[in-house]
Amino acid sequence: METNYMINRSIYYWSGVYRSNLQKRMAYRELRTVIAINILNFDLLNDTKRFHTSFHLYEDKDFFKLTNMMEFHFVEMPKLINEWKQGKLDPWNDLLARWLLLLGIVDSRTDTFYEDIYNELEAIAMKDDVLKSAFKNWDYLSATQEERLAYEARLKHVLDEEAAIREAELREKEALERGLQKGIQQGMKQGIEQGIEQGQLEKAKEIAQKMLKKGLDIESVMELTGLSSDAIEILKRNID
């Protein structure tokens, strides 16, 4: 039944997705292209030995394409495995073959595990980080419950260590930022205080100069302004 009605099913599901694109107040030209991709674990098309076929709508006599809105792809996994066995696939350079072979490592119908495919893809994964990540997830999903629990325990340990390192980095950063802020505040405070002191000193010198010009003696100027005798002597010489 799967073989007989798969094409009908694909068209049916495609039409539902295509119709759902049209919402209220939308024009038909706003409908988006829908591409149906069917990955099959059985042979469907007897007219070709190719594992990947694609279909569009074409005119019957002149064979020009009617539209790009409708597109169907069929990937027949048994044909893929046959091409692999015959050495016709190059997963090292063919990205599509690489990922389809990953899906075909296990044949659930015959309970077959293709170890040769696994080994080659594992070698490719050493140079393909995305495939390597997929392999890790694949291994996890394929593991027994005990293996998954052990994996999760190891993963938790690694994550805890990484989190502790990151926490230490954040604390160090925050401490540096607090120290910098404190230093800025302390510097501003000292600058203000020094500014006030400098302003007071300049004011005292200005008053002392006026006193000296009016003939007050050095002792009196020292008592009234708080300046040292040396400072007042310098001011007096400048006046003279």
Side-chain angles (χ1 to χ4, degrees):
M1 184 179 69
E2 288 178 334
T3 302
N4 295 335
Y5 299 109
M6 188 62 227
I7 296 174
N8 301 45
R9 287 172 57 190
S10 184
I11 295 173
Y12 176 78
Y13 292 132
W14 175 92
S15 64
V17 176
Y18 185 71
R19 289 197 315 275
S20 67
N21 284 332
L22 188 65
Q23 304 297 325
K24 290 182 178 180
R25 298 183 179 180
M26 281 182 60
Y28 284 106
R29 67 177 179 175
E30 294 180 284
L31 285 168
R32 296 188 294 273
T33 299
V34 174
I35 301 173
I37 301 175
N38 305 274
I39 300 177
L40 313 175
N41 64 350
F42 55 86
D43 288 334
L44 176 67
L45 305 170
N46 296 323
D47 296 327
T48 180
K49 293 182 179 180
R50 290 187 294 113
F51 66 86
H52 176 215
T53 50
S54 59
F55 298 86
H56 297 80
L57 284 178
Y58 288 90
E59 202 279 329
D60 288 342
K61 292 185 177 181
D62 296 328
F63 301 105
F64 60 85
K65 188 185 295 185
L66 177 64
T67 177
N68 286 320
M69 303 299 285
M70 178 182 247
E71 184 175 334
F72 292 88
H73 292 261
F74 293 93
V75 177
E76 300 170 72
M77 297 304 291
K79 292 180 180 178
L80 174 81
I81 298 301
N82 285 334
E83 289 205 13
W84 160 262
K85 290 179 177 179
Q86 295 172 18
K88 295 180 179 180
L89 293 182
D90 180 14
W92 289 88
N93 299 302
D94 187 336
L95 191 60
L96 176 62
R98 183 183 309 174
W99 286 98
L100 289 177
L101 283 171
L102 181 64
L103 295 177
I105 288 176
V106 176
D107 186 344
S108 58
R109 295 175 309 158
T110 59
D111 197 25
T112 302
F113 174 74
Y114 294 101
E115 188 174 357
D116 51 350
I117 295 177
Y118 181 92
N119 291 336
E120 180 153 3
L121 292 181
E122 189 176 39
I124 296 173
M126 299 303 294
K127 298 183 178 181
D128 184 338
D129 290 337
V130 178
L131 184 62
K132 183 186 295 184
S133 177
F135 251 89
K136 288 180 180 179
N137 292 328
W138 190 88
D139 286 339
Y140 175 77
L141 293 173
S142 304
T144 64
Q145 183 178 4
E146 291 77 9
E147 290 171 337
R148 285 198 295 270
L149 290 174
Y151 170 80
E152 289 173 356
R154 291 194 302 272
L155 179 61
K156 181 179 181 299
H157 179 69
V158 172
L159 292 177
D160 287 345
E161 287 185 343
E162 292 179 348
I165 294 172
R166 181 57 179 162
E167 182 65 28
E169 291 175 349
L170 291 174
R171 287 180 180 177
E172 182 179 359
K173 181 180 178 182
E174 290 170 355
L176 289 173
E177 290 176 349
R178 285 196 300 270
L180 179 61
Q181 185 64 28
K182 185 177 180 181
I184 291 173
Q185 293 174 351
Q186 185 66 28
M188 291 176 63
K189 181 179 178 182
Q190 291 177 352
I192 292 171
E193 290 175 349
Q194 291 173 357
I196 292 173
E197 292 176 357
Q198 185 65 30
Q200 291 174 341
L201 178 61
E202 295 299 325
K203 187 64 176 178
K205 288 181 178 180
E206 182 180 345
I207 293 172
Q209 284 179 330
K210 291 180 179 179
M211 290 178 177
L212 291 170
K213 287 180 180 179
K214 291 184 177 181
L216 270 72
D217 58 87
I218 292 177
E219 288 75 11
S220 298
V221 175
M222 287 174 57
E223 184 179 352
L224 293 172
T225 62
L227 295 173
S228 66
S229 60
D230 292 338
I232 295 172
E233 284 287 353
I234 294 173
L235 291 174
K236 188 173 185 301
R237 285 198 299 270
N238 290 337
I239 293 173
D240 295 340

